Amino acid sequence: MGTVADESCGAEFHEFFERHYAELARLAYLLTGDTDGADDLAADALVAVWHHWDRVRAADHPAAYVRGVVANMARSRIRSAVRERRRIALFWSQSSERTDGPDIPVVIDVREALRRLPFRKRACVVLRHAFDLSERDTALALGISVGTVKSQTSKATAELQRLLGTSTTTELVGGRPRWTI
């Protein structure tokens, strides 16, 4: 039988979960580009947070802390996927004939452009523009300085302009609307 404090803590976490799960799943999707894995990633992050809920709820910005957990887990999953792709590519390149043909996409959409950005740039631009976080909140979520957020967001925006064109990028980040990707 649980104590009143345990029940209160559980209810508080449940409320936090209900309030932030969809946002965390969306963040995971924008960082990884994997629809199915995004829900799992958000759930895994919340399970990890539950194990340390006393510390997390005492933090100045619990939601920012959990966004950082999602970002770190996404980074780990991306790195694992890249390593796996390299192993598969190495295996197949040794066992089959290679054909080099141009791989030119007809249309580059926003999600594809985001996937092309390095993780930190992608995380900064997604948190700043898709989630409309301040530079300070983005820095808190990613565990980096505000100056790094500014430079990475600027570089990411320039890269998106190169990939998508100036008018599309201005439409997405110029007026700082919340993206609904």
Side-chain angles (χ1 to χ4, degrees), residues 28-54:
Y29 169 71
L30 290 171
L31 293 175
T32 64
D34 179 12
T35 305
D36 297 328
D39 286 332
D40 292 341
L41 190 86
D44 289 348
L46 286 162
V47 166
V49 165
W50 168 246
H51 292 296
H52 304 286
W53 183 241
D54 286 340

mmCIF file of all heavy atoms in Angstrom, residues 28-54:
data_model
loop_
_atom_site.group_PDB
_atom_site.id
_atom_site.type_symbol
_atom_site.label_atom_id
_atom_site.label_comp_id
_atom_site.label_asym_id
_atom_site.label_seq_id
_atom_site.Cartn_x
_atom_site.Cartn_y
_atom_site.Cartn_z
ATOM 1 N N ALA A 28 10.489 14.584 -30.577
ATOM 2 C CA ALA A 28 11.231 13.378 -30.968
ATOM 3 C C ALA A 28 11.092 13.123 -32.465
ATOM 4 O O ALA A 28 12.064 12.781 -33.140
ATOM 5 C CB ALA A 28 10.735 12.175 -30.170
ATOM 6 N N TYR A 29 9.894 13.327 -32.992
ATOM 7 C CA TYR A 29 9.680 13.126 -34.430
ATOM 8 C C TYR A 29 10.495 14.115 -35.252
ATOM 9 O O TYR A 29 11.146 13.744 -36.226
ATOM 10 C CB TYR A 29 8.193 13.254 -34.775
ATOM 11 C CG TYR A 29 7.971 13.306 -36.260
ATOM 12 C CD1 TYR A 29 8.166 12.179 -37.039
ATOM 13 C CD2 TYR A 29 7.636 14.493 -36.893
ATOM 14 C CE1 TYR A 29 8.007 12.221 -38.417
ATOM 15 C CE2 TYR A 29 7.467 14.554 -38.260
ATOM 16 C CZ TYR A 29 7.656 13.417 -39.024
ATOM 17 O OH TYR A 29 7.517 13.472 -40.378
ATOM 18 N N LEU A 30 10.469 15.379 -34.859
ATOM 19 C CA LEU A 30 11.202 16.386 -35.620
ATOM 20 C C LEU A 30 12.712 16.179 -35.539
ATOM 21 O O LEU A 30 13.439 16.510 -36.472
ATOM 22 C CB LEU A 30 10.823 17.788 -35.158
ATOM 23 C CG LEU A 30 9.408 18.220 -35.536
ATOM 24 C CD1 LEU A 30 9.044 19.525 -34.843
ATOM 25 C CD2 LEU A 30 9.261 18.363 -37.044
ATOM 26 N N LEU A 31 13.181 15.613 -34.434
ATOM 27 C CA LEU A 31 14.614 15.364 -34.295
ATOM 28 C C LEU A 31 15.061 14.107 -35.034
ATOM 29 O O LEU A 31 16.172 14.055 -35.560
ATOM 30 C CB LEU A 31 15.003 15.265 -32.815
ATOM 31 C CG LEU A 31 14.876 16.557 -32.012
ATOM 32 C CD1 LEU A 31 15.166 16.294 -30.544
ATOM 33 C CD2 LEU A 31 15.789 17.632 -32.558
ATOM 34 N N THR A 32 14.196 13.088 -35.072
ATOM 35 C CA THR A 32 14.600 11.812 -35.659
ATOM 36 C C THR A 32 13.996 11.554 -37.033
ATOM 37 O O THR A 32 14.543 10.779 -37.806
ATOM 38 C CB THR A 32 14.203 10.628 -34.757
ATOM 39 O OG1 THR A 32 12.772 10.567 -34.661
ATOM 40 C CG2 THR A 32 14.830 10.749 -33.379
ATOM 41 N N GLY A 33 12.830 12.150 -37.323
ATOM 42 C CA GLY A 33 12.144 11.883 -38.578
ATOM 43 C C GLY A 33 11.447 10.538 -38.599
ATOM 44 O O GLY A 33 10.977 10.095 -39.632
ATOM 45 N N ASP A 34 11.345 9.882 -37.453
ATOM 46 C CA ASP A 34 10.758 8.548 -37.357
ATOM 47 C C ASP A 34 9.438 8.630 -36.600
ATOM 48 O O ASP A 34 9.422 8.791 -35.383
ATOM 49 C CB ASP A 34 11.724 7.615 -36.632
ATOM 50 C CG ASP A 34 11.205 6.203 -36.452
ATOM 51 O OD1 ASP A 34 10.183 5.843 -37.069
ATOM 52 O OD2 ASP A 34 11.841 5.449 -35.682
ATOM 53 N N THR A 35 8.330 8.506 -37.326
ATOM 54 C CA THR A 35 7.009 8.635 -36.724
ATOM 55 C C THR A 35 6.777 7.588 -35.645
ATOM 56 O O THR A 35 6.365 7.919 -34.535
ATOM 57 C CB THR A 35 5.909 8.483 -37.808
ATOM 58 O OG1 THR A 35 6.158 9.434 -38.829
ATOM 59 C CG2 THR A 35 4.533 8.717 -37.239
ATOM 60 N N ASP A 36 7.024 6.328 -35.967
ATOM 61 C CA ASP A 36 6.774 5.251 -35.007
ATOM 62 C C ASP A 36 7.707 5.349 -33.801
ATOM 63 O O ASP A 36 7.293 5.168 -32.659
ATOM 64 C CB ASP A 36 6.941 3.886 -35.670
ATOM 65 C CG ASP A 36 5.931 3.662 -36.773
ATOM 66 O OD1 ASP A 36 4.791 4.186 -36.655
ATOM 67 O OD2 ASP A 36 6.264 2.973 -37.755
ATOM 68 N N GLY A 37 8.965 5.629 -34.064
ATOM 69 C CA GLY A 37 9.938 5.702 -32.981
ATOM 70 C C GLY A 37 9.765 6.914 -32.085
ATOM 71 O O GLY A 37 10.211 6.916 -30.936
ATOM 72 N N ALA A 38 9.108 7.965 -32.576
ATOM 73 C CA ALA A 38 8.948 9.193 -31.795
ATOM 74 C C ALA A 38 8.103 8.948 -30.546
ATOM 75 O O ALA A 38 8.450 9.421 -29.461
ATOM 76 C CB ALA A 38 8.315 10.287 -32.648
ATOM 77 N N ASP A 39 7.011 8.212 -30.695
ATOM 78 C CA ASP A 39 6.181 7.901 -29.529
ATOM 79 C C ASP A 39 6.961 7.076 -28.513
ATOM 80 O O ASP A 39 6.899 7.329 -27.310
ATOM 81 C CB ASP A 39 4.917 7.139 -29.950
ATOM 82 C CG ASP A 39 3.902 8.030 -30.631
ATOM 83 O OD1 ASP A 39 3.881 9.247 -30.349
ATOM 84 O OD2 ASP A 39 3.120 7.511 -31.444
ATOM 85 N N ASP A 40 7.710 6.096 -29.008
ATOM 86 C CA ASP A 40 8.517 5.261 -28.116
ATOM 87 C C ASP A 40 9.582 6.091 -27.414
ATOM 88 O O ASP A 40 9.831 5.920 -26.219
ATOM 89 C CB ASP A 40 9.203 4.133 -28.894
ATOM 90 C CG ASP A 40 8.220 3.110 -29.421
ATOM 91 O OD1 ASP A 40 7.082 3.043 -28.907
ATOM 92 O OD2 ASP A 40 8.587 2.382 -30.357
ATOM 93 N N LEU A 41 10.206 6.987 -28.155
ATOM 94 C CA LEU A 41 11.259 7.827 -27.590
ATOM 95 C C LEU A 41 10.700 8.724 -26.481
ATOM 96 O O LEU A 41 11.297 8.845 -25.412
ATOM 97 C CB LEU A 41 11.906 8.669 -28.683
ATOM 98 C CG LEU A 41 13.163 9.403 -28.274
ATOM 99 C CD1 LEU A 41 14.364 8.487 -28.443
ATOM 100 C CD2 LEU A 41 13.358 10.616 -29.131
ATOM 101 N N ALA A 42 9.551 9.343 -26.734
ATOM 102 C CA ALA A 42 8.925 10.191 -25.711
ATOM 103 C C ALA A 42 8.563 9.369 -24.483
ATOM 104 O O ALA A 42 8.796 9.792 -23.340
ATOM 105 C CB ALA A 42 7.688 10.883 -26.286
ATOM 106 N N ALA A 43 8.002 8.189 -24.709
ATOM 107 C CA ALA A 43 7.643 7.317 -23.579
ATOM 108 C C ALA A 43 8.881 6.885 -22.801
ATOM 109 O O ALA A 43 8.891 6.901 -21.561
ATOM 110 C CB ALA A 43 6.864 6.102 -24.078
ATOM 111 N N ASP A 44 9.952 6.511 -23.517
ATOM 112 C CA ASP A 44 11.190 6.107 -22.845
ATOM 113 C C ASP A 44 11.767 7.251 -22.018
ATOM 114 O O ASP A 44 12.266 7.037 -20.910
ATOM 115 C CB ASP A 44 12.231 5.638 -23.874
ATOM 116 C CG ASP A 44 11.874 4.309 -24.517
ATOM 117 O OD1 ASP A 44 10.943 3.620 -24.024
ATOM 118 O OD2 ASP A 44 12.519 3.959 -25.531
ATOM 119 N N ALA A 45 11.708 8.462 -22.557
ATOM 120 C CA ALA A 45 12.215 9.621 -21.818
ATOM 121 C C ALA A 45 11.397 9.845 -20.550
ATOM 122 O O ALA A 45 11.956 10.115 -19.479
ATOM 123 C CB ALA A 45 12.180 10.872 -22.695
ATOM 124 N N LEU A 46 10.092 9.708 -20.655
ATOM 125 C CA LEU A 46 9.237 9.903 -19.482
ATOM 126 C C LEU A 46 9.428 8.794 -18.450
ATOM 127 O O LEU A 46 9.377 9.048 -17.244
ATOM 128 C CB LEU A 46 7.776 10.047 -19.893
ATOM 129 C CG LEU A 46 7.473 11.411 -20.527
ATOM 130 C CD1 LEU A 46 6.170 11.378 -21.305
ATOM 131 C CD2 LEU A 46 7.428 12.498 -19.463
ATOM 132 N N VAL A 47 9.683 7.574 -18.900
ATOM 133 C CA VAL A 47 9.989 6.488 -17.957
ATOM 134 C C VAL A 47 11.291 6.803 -17.214
ATOM 135 O O VAL A 47 11.379 6.646 -15.991
ATOM 136 C CB VAL A 47 10.091 5.124 -18.684
ATOM 137 C CG1 VAL A 47 10.726 4.060 -17.795
ATOM 138 C CG2 VAL A 47 8.707 4.673 -19.142
ATOM 139 N N ALA A 48 12.293 7.261 -17.966
ATOM 140 C CA ALA A 48 13.569 7.629 -17.336
ATOM 141 C C ALA A 48 13.367 8.746 -16.320
ATOM 142 O O ALA A 48 13.955 8.736 -15.235
ATOM 143 C CB ALA A 48 14.582 8.044 -18.405
ATOM 144 N N VAL A 49 12.529 9.704 -16.668
ATOM 145 C CA VAL A 49 12.258 10.828 -15.770
ATOM 146 C C VAL A 49 11.501 10.355 -14.531
ATOM 147 O O VAL A 49 11.750 10.823 -13.422
ATOM 148 C CB VAL A 49 11.472 11.928 -16.530
ATOM 149 C CG1 VAL A 49 10.856 12.928 -15.582
ATOM 150 C CG2 VAL A 49 12.392 12.627 -17.510
ATOM 151 N N TRP A 50 10.573 9.419 -14.713
ATOM 152 C CA TRP A 50 9.801 8.907 -13.572
ATOM 153 C C TRP A 50 10.726 8.332 -12.503
ATOM 154 O O TRP A 50 10.512 8.525 -11.311
ATOM 155 C CB TRP A 50 8.797 7.853 -14.038
ATOM 156 C CG TRP A 50 8.187 7.102 -12.897
ATOM 157 C CD1 TRP A 50 8.341 5.788 -12.598
ATOM 158 C CD2 TRP A 50 7.329 7.633 -11.879
ATOM 159 N NE1 TRP A 50 7.644 5.469 -11.475
ATOM 160 C CE2 TRP A 50 7.008 6.591 -11.004
ATOM 161 C CE3 TRP A 50 6.812 8.902 -11.618
ATOM 162 C CZ2 TRP A 50 6.188 6.756 -9.888
ATOM 163 C CZ3 TRP A 50 6.001 9.065 -10.508
ATOM 164 C CH2 TRP A 50 5.691 8.008 -9.663
ATOM 165 N N HIS A 51 11.778 7.656 -12.923
ATOM 166 C CA HIS A 51 12.712 7.053 -11.968
ATOM 167 C C HIS A 51 13.442 8.104 -11.126
ATOM 168 O O HIS A 51 13.976 7.777 -10.070
ATOM 169 C CB HIS A 51 13.729 6.165 -12.694
ATOM 170 C CG HIS A 51 13.116 4.943 -13.299
ATOM 171 N ND1 HIS A 51 12.520 3.945 -12.564
ATOM 172 C CD2 HIS A 51 12.985 4.581 -14.592
ATOM 173 C CE1 HIS A 51 12.048 3.016 -13.359
ATOM 174 N NE2 HIS A 51 12.320 3.372 -14.604
ATOM 175 N N HIS A 52 13.468 9.337 -11.590
ATOM 176 C CA HIS A 52 14.139 10.430 -10.873
ATOM 177 C C HIS A 52 13.178 11.601 -10.673
ATOM 178 O O HIS A 52 13.602 12.758 -10.666
ATOM 179 C CB HIS A 52 15.379 10.897 -11.665
ATOM 180 C CG HIS A 52 16.335 9.792 -11.956
ATOM 181 N ND1 HIS A 52 17.150 9.247 -10.994
ATOM 182 C CD2 HIS A 52 16.583 9.112 -13.102
ATOM 183 C CE1 HIS A 52 17.867 8.278 -11.533
ATOM 184 N NE2 HIS A 52 17.532 8.175 -12.810
ATOM 185 N N TRP A 53 11.897 11.303 -10.532
ATOM 186 C CA TRP A 53 10.882 12.346 -10.508
ATOM 187 C C TRP A 53 11.098 13.353 -9.388
ATOM 188 O O TRP A 53 10.868 14.540 -9.559
ATOM 189 C CB TRP A 53 9.482 11.731 -10.436
ATOM 190 C CG TRP A 53 8.413 12.770 -10.480
ATOM 191 C CD1 TRP A 53 7.474 13.032 -9.525
ATOM 192 C CD2 TRP A 53 8.172 13.723 -11.525
ATOM 193 N NE1 TRP A 53 6.669 14.066 -9.913
ATOM 194 C CE2 TRP A 53 7.076 14.513 -11.136
ATOM 195 C CE3 TRP A 53 8.784 13.986 -12.743
ATOM 196 C CZ2 TRP A 53 6.578 15.538 -11.923
ATOM 197 C CZ3 TRP A 53 8.284 15.009 -13.530
ATOM 198 C CH2 TRP A 53 7.194 15.772 -13.121
ATOM 199 N N ASP A 54 11.554 12.907 -8.206
ATOM 200 C CA ASP A 54 11.777 13.853 -7.103
ATOM 201 C C ASP A 54 12.759 14.949 -7.511
ATOM 202 O O ASP A 54 12.551 16.118 -7.229
ATOM 203 C CB ASP A 54 12.311 13.132 -5.862
ATOM 204 C CG ASP A 54 11.233 12.324 -5.164
ATOM 205 O OD1 ASP A 54 10.039 12.608 -5.396
ATOM 206 O OD2 ASP A 54 11.588 11.404 -4.411
#
